[in-house]
Structures are given as C-alpha cells and as structure tokens.
Amino acid sequence: MKSKSSSTQSIALIDANNFYASCEQSINPHLRNKPVVILSNNDGCVIARSPEARALKIKMGIPYFKAKERLNRLGVVVLSSNYSLYGDMSKRLMNLLKNYSEEMEIYSIDEAFVSILRPKDKSLHPWARKVRCLIYQSLGITLTIGIGENKVRAKIANKLAKNINSSAGIFDLVRIENENDYLRKISVENIWGIGKQTSNWLQSKGIKNAKELRDMDQDEIIKKLGVVGKRLQLELKGNKCLPIEINKKPKKEIQVSRSFGKPITKLEDLTQALAIYAIKASAKMRSQNLKSSTITVFTRTSHYSNNPYQKSAHKKLINATNNTSTILKTVVALSKEIYSPEYKLSKAGVLMQDLTNCKYLQQSIINYESQEDSIKSISLMKTIDSLNKKFNNKAITWAIAKKPQDWTMNRNSLSPGSTTDIKKIPNIIV
DNA sequence: TCTGGGGTCCTAGGACCC
DNA sequence: TCTGGGGTCCTAGGACCC
C-alpha cells in the first residue's frame, strides 16, 4: 500500500442481500434457488424474501394472513424468523469483514460501514470483488458493496449496485463521470434519512430525486428539516458530516415488547407477559453491564381496533438496578396501573431507561439496605446468567414465567438452530 | 381471527432558575 | 402603576432506521 499522502479515504456500505432468507438457505441447502419468505415475530408479516420469492412479486411487509393463500399456491417456503440464527451468522460476517477494512461500524444485523484507503486515482473494484468472493465462500451469503466519499453517498452507491444489473453487486460513486445521471436514478424516498413524511413534502416541492435534492435551496431544507436535513444535503454534495462510529455507543434504553398471539383481557395475563419481558430485559442489561433507574411498562390495543386504548406507567428507582427480582416487583406493581378490563390488549412491553454503566454507578446513601442486599443478589444473577448461557436460556427462570400461557407469540414455522444449538447440527449423509 | 420489534435523534414547549 | 429575558432541563412526540 502507498503512503497515506497519496491516498484518499473512501467509505463503503456493505450489506448482505436478503440476509434472513440467505441465512436459512445457507443452513438448509434444499432451500437454495427456491422462493423463501421469512415472517416477522408472531408470524405477522413478510420481512425478507429470497430473489426467487421477489421474482414472484411477493411484497415486503405484507401481512401473512393476507398472503397465505397465494404463498401456498405458488409453493413458496414460509419460515418464522429465527433471530438466534441470524445473530450468529451476523457475528461471523462482521468478524470476517473487519479484516478487510481500516475501520468498521456495524450499522445493523446485516450492514456495516467501513473506511478504506484508496491509492491515488485507483479503482477499489478489486478490493470489493475479493471481499464479496470471500464472504460467499465462507458463509454462502451474497454482498452488495457501495462506495462513496461519505456515508450518504455510500448508501446511494449501494442502491445503484443493486439496481444496475451490470454492476455485479459493486458500485463506486467516487470514480464516475456522469454522476448526475446516476443521482437522478435514486428517487427521494429511497435516500437514507428520507422517510415518508419528508418524501411527501419534497415531492410537493417538485423535488423527485437525489440530484434535485442535492441542488435544492439550502435555507428551505434547513427551515423544514433542521440540522438533519442540512447534514444530509451536505453529504449528497460530497462533504463528510457523519463519522464512522467504531465504538458502539452504550445503549440509552432497552426495550422488550411483543404482540400477543391473541388479544388478552385479564390482568393476570398482562402481568405475566410483562414479567416475562422484564426477566428478558434484566438479563439483557446485565449482559451489557448496564443498570436502569427508570422502568416503564406499556400496553395497547391493536392499531386497527375500533375501541383503541394505550397506556404507560413508569417508576423512578432510588438506586439503579439490573436485579431481576427488584425489577419484577416494580413491573408487577406497574402492570395494575395500565390495565383496564374493557379492552382487548394486543401488545405490551417494558422499557429500561436512564441506563448507566455499572462501573460509574452512583449509589444512594439513604438506601443502604438494598445495597447490602445487592451484593448477594449480584452473585445470584451471575449464576443464573451463566447457567442460562450454558443451557440455552432454558435452565432457570422465575415461577411467574412458567405458568401456562395461551397468549404467547406464534412461531409456527421455525427453522432449527443449526449454528447455535449443538443438538440441531445438520446430519450430512454422503 | 390474523397487520413486527427495537432502537436513535431532534424539536417544541413547559417548568424553573437567576 | 410599571413586572425581563436568557438559560437549562425535562418530557412528549415526530420522524426515521433496519
């Protein structure tokens, strides 16, 4: 590699194509080249499609109950989402990608921004081809790589790589002659950071694509969209405003929420659901070395209900905690505050807020009894966590979670945990 | 019957302080 | 009788992301 002075830094956005579907196809070769769709939690709607399913014009986000018949008729393989599989594959993917970049920011389960040094006026295609090839060989997953001067332009390049057949999954927006022609191909609603509301507003102003947004009057953007819009436009023009974030920022809140398999009306069921979510949330905090001092619970009816209701309640604690027993007590008490018998509740959740790192924790001097308590409970929690880690989360829980439930989520077509559960390793018959 | 879950950032407006 | 203005903190809600 040449010295830094003759090189410039470029940013690539690398993402896995149809990630969830690819993971399933990767552990089950029978699914290769077949139309496959993955459903959201609760088997609610379609959230991933293999290219074959895409070709059958099965829409992203469509509710399963509406699409079921057609999926059957077309012989599409339908799977519930298996997040432990996707999480595990994601870890493997990121570990490999790390070796081929200067810096890396894991942006989502299937995407990473990386920075790479570009030797003066050289193509980054050989680098990108190598990365794609390596990941395909190792994990059976196809990547798309978009390269730009900054994050927004890398995202745009990635879109172009997907839309232009001849690109073979790689597009470099830095070394391009007729840039305007390419920016015109990206309509405003497909720009990273432009959602539905903003897109509607831009359309009403006659701004239809990335080129027009780049050239739009800056003051008008700032007036409507504030600094967010300003940064976006500056990046479109080629300035660097959004840094690569290498170190994961500590979480500001942790949420566990689910829709119920069927609506509930009894306080007992609501309390039990919230208790189960609280157990999960507490373990999650401990795994990230965090404690919470504001605990919120919420519930609501379906978005589509003609008798709608939603309510939340929170409690601030004197001492921040990640102790499951303390949190359970709080959550059980709060559940009474949000319950109302007249409604069919379809979703509930808990939020752990005001998170602080255990290292820098401020203890209350008034409430020293509970500190005494926490020394014993810390080791209890540690024991529970390590047993659950060893035995696949099924070893120890609280009694309230074990009572029978008829509201729990639907996961009717789950694939086996081939990469995370030793019992589920595939048998290969040669 | 059945429509996901888990996050972040930003802004506006109220409360409060000096 | 006349009763300021700037700053900060907090919260709720909007918008967006994958």
Side-chain angles (χ1 to χ4, degrees):
Chain A
M1 179 119 1
K2 289 185 184 173
S3 74
K4 288 197 181 187
S5 60
S6 62
S7 313
T8 49
Q9 198 190 46
S10 290
I11 305 288
L13 187 265
I14 306 178
D15 75 345
N17 299 347
N18 330 301
F19 183 58
Y20 296 171
S22 302
C23 290
E24 301 285 356
Q25 288 173 319
S26 178
I27 58 160
N28 182 356
H30 297 301
L31 299 177
R32 298 223 173 120
N33 307 315
K34 285 194 185 147
V36 176
V37 302
I38 315 297
L39 304 178
S40 65
N41 262 326
N42 221 14
D43 291 349
C45 43
V46 172
I47 54 165
R49 307 156 298 162
S50 72
E52 297 77 14
R54 227 176 258 222
L56 292 171
K57 302 244 174 349
I58 291 152
K59 289 212 185 91
M60 189 73 165
I62 188 172
Y64 180 45
F65 76 92
K66 281 188 184 168
K68 198 169 187 173
E69 204 204 22
R70 188 158 163 257
L71 292 168
N72 268 337
R73 192 156 25 88
L74 294 170
V76 177
V77 179
V78 177
L79 295 168
S80 305
S81 36
N82 182 347
Y83 289 103
S84 53
L85 169 65
Y86 314 147
D88 183 68
M89 291 288 272
S90 174
K91 232 184 270 170
R92 293 165 194 242
L93 169 65
M94 299 305 170
N95 279 335
L96 289 166
L97 287 182
K98 199 168 57 191
N99 301 329
Y100 291 85
S101 56
E102 296 270 309
E103 304 166 309
M104 176 168 86
E105 172 187 342
I106 298 173
Y107 179 65
S108 76
I109 193 161
D110 71 333
E111 276 176 71
F113 286 105
V114 306
S115 63
I116 354 112
L117 282 180
R118 182 195 298 270
K120 201 167 170 45
D121 295 330
K122 287 278 166 53
S123 169
L124 282 173
H125 271 73
W127 167 81
R129 277 197 293 269
K130 193 165 141 196
V131 173
R132 275 187 107 228
C133 188
L134 172 95
I135 298 298
Y136 188 73
Q137 281 172 359
S138 319
L139 302 174
I141 283 171
T142 311
L143 299 180
T144 300
I145 302 183
I147 304 165
E149 297 84 346
N150 55 41
K151 285 180 161 181
V152 167
R153 286 175 62 94
K155 273 272 188 182
I156 289 202
N158 183 283
K159 273 259 150 56
L160 288 166
K162 285 202 170 76
N163 294 345
I164 301 169
N165 281 335
S166 60
S167 72
I170 300 167
F171 194 92
D172 186 350
L173 194 54
V174 179
R175 285 163 48 88
I176 205 89
E177 283 181 4
N178 40 353
E179 175 179 310
N180 286 348
D181 293 343
Y182 286 104
L183 290 185
R184 274 196 207 94
K185 288 181 199 284
I186 304 289
S187 51
V188 281
E189 69 268 22
N190 287 324
I191 299 170
W192 186 47
I194 304 286
K196 197 146 190 230
Q197 302 296 320
T198 312
S199 153
N200 286 345
W201 175 75
L202 286 169
Q203 308 262 8
S204 78
K205 293 269 165 193
I207 306 294
K208 299 178 295 295
N209 56 52
K211 192 251 169 204
E212 291 172 355
L213 180 59
R214 183 197 66 193
D215 299 339
M216 188 183 176
D217 176 50
Q218 181 178 290
D219 292 341
E220 203 172 358
I221 291 186
I222 293 172
K223 209 170 129 199
K224 177 79 179 175
L225 305 175
V227 295
V228 179
K230 183 181 175 183
R231 278 200 291 253
L232 176 53
Q233 193 189 32
L234 283 171
E235 289 237 333
L236 275 175
K237 290 180 177 177
N239 301 288
K240 248 187 213 170
C241 307
L242 307 166
I244 298 264
E245 284 165 17
I246 306 155
N247 300 314
K248 258 194 253 165
K249 284 190 199 150
K251 286 254 158 55
K252 297 187 174 162
E253 60 179 42
I254 283 176
Q255 182 179 153
V256 177
S257 64
R258 298 278 185 283
S259 296
F260 304 128
K262 55 185 177 187
I264 62 173
T265 52
K266 286 188 286 185
L267 172 61
E268 200 185 309
D269 289 340
L270 177 65
T271 305
Q272 187 191 21
L274 289 170
I276 290 170
Y277 305 158
I279 293 168
K280 281 196 169 85
S282 310
K284 217 167 168 180
M285 278 197 283
R286 292 195 294 274
S287 74
Q288 298 178 33
N289 240 334
L290 297 168
K291 292 187 173 189
S292 161
S293 60
T294 302
I295 294 171
T296 301
V297 303
F298 67 90
T299 187
R300 63 165 170 78
T301 51
S302 160
H303 283 309
Y304 308 90
S305 168
N306 43 25
N307 187 21
Y309 169 80
Q310 62 172 334
K311 196 162 184 192
S312 69
H314 71 269
K315 183 171 187 198
K316 292 197 188 251
L317 305 175
I318 300 169
N319 289 314
T321 184
N322 57 21
N323 180 295
T324 304
S325 302
T326 314
I327 290 165
L328 269 178
K329 263 180 231 155
T330 312
V331 164
V332 167
L334 286 172
S335 72
K336 297 187 183 85
E337 289 183 33
I338 59 171
Y339 171 71
S340 173
E342 300 123 69
Y343 304 98
K344 288 184 170 174
L345 303 172
S346 70
K347 183 175 178 171
V350 301
L351 280 119
M352 303 292 138
Q353 293 159 308
D354 289 340
L355 297 177
T356 36
N357 194 303
C358 297
K359 267 192 274 179
Y360 312 117
L361 211 61
Q362 179 77 49
Q363 286 282 4
S364 162
I365 50 167
I366 309 160
N367 211 356
Y368 67 86
E369 276 175 38
S370 68
Q371 292 177 44
E372 194 58 34
D373 187 60
S374 73
I375 294 166
K376 268 185 280 173
S377 59
I378 285 171
S379 70
L380 175 62
M381 292 301 135
K382 268 193 184 144
T383 311
I384 291 174
D385 289 340
S386 69
L387 284 170
N388 280 339
K389 197 174 175 192
K390 200 165 168 188
F391 298 106
N392 203 18
N393 280 326
K394 286 181 188 127
I396 297 193
T397 187
W398 273 253
I400 193 164
K402 279 293 173 192
K403 285 194 295 181
Q405 313 151 11
D406 59 0
W407 47 266
T408 190
M409 62 172 193
N410 301 318
R411 280 172 109 186
N412 293 326
S413 326
L414 192 62
S415 58
S418 308
T419 65
T420 51
D421 185 348
I422 190 80
K423 289 185 209 126
K424 304 286 173 55
I425 286 180
N427 295 313
I428 311 273
I429 297 153
V430 185

